[in-house]
Amino acid sequence: MEKYVLSKTIAIVLGALTIIAALGYGFLFLLGTSLGQALHSEIDTSATNKLTLLILISLLIVGVITGAGSFGLNWNVWRIVYCGFCLVLGICLLVTFFISIGAIGSTYEFMILCISMMYFWMGYLVKKKK
């Protein structure tokens, strides 16, 4: 069996899940913003919109790097960078899960937790060359 087959498979699935989570988060953001404007909210959201769009774009880029980056695992330097990338994202998503408990709904919170655990698992698999 070829090296990194399991890692590449998980990376493609995980990249797709990250992109889906970003699009779901974007949908919730647009829904909340639209409802706020429809109800004539007095809060200025121009600074919040820029930060939220930056987060959405960052999540989409992370999803693409996760999926496409797995095809360069045969190079030693990229493998080390990719393993660190996976572990850092796993930690960040785990912290995000704990921060968002009760805020965005149990479905999205559970999805963030699952994606975090999958990033940890993928970092482990890349380290073990599976």
Side-chain angles (χ1 to χ4, degrees), residues 33-91:
T33 304
S34 300
L35 286 174
Q37 289 175 354
L39 297 173
H40 303 292
S41 175
E42 297 290 328
I43 299 173
D44 179 31
T45 59
S46 59
T48 309
N49 289 347
K50 291 178 185 176
L51 180 62
T52 305
L53 291 177
L54 178 70
I55 292 170
L56 285 174
I57 291 170
S58 299
L59 280 173
L60 290 173
I61 290 171
V62 164
V64 169
I65 289 174
T66 300
S70 65
F71 293 104
L73 290 175
N74 292 328
W75 297 311
N76 191 29
V77 174
W78 180 248
R79 185 174 50 246
I80 293 168
V81 169
Y82 194 74
C83 184
F85 171 78
C86 291
L87 293 177
V88 166
L89 277 175
I91 291 169

Side-chain angles (χ1 to χ4, degrees), residues 25-37:
Y25 179 71
F27 174 72
L28 289 176
F29 168 72
L30 289 175
L31 181 68
T33 304
S34 300
L35 286 174
Q37 289 175 354

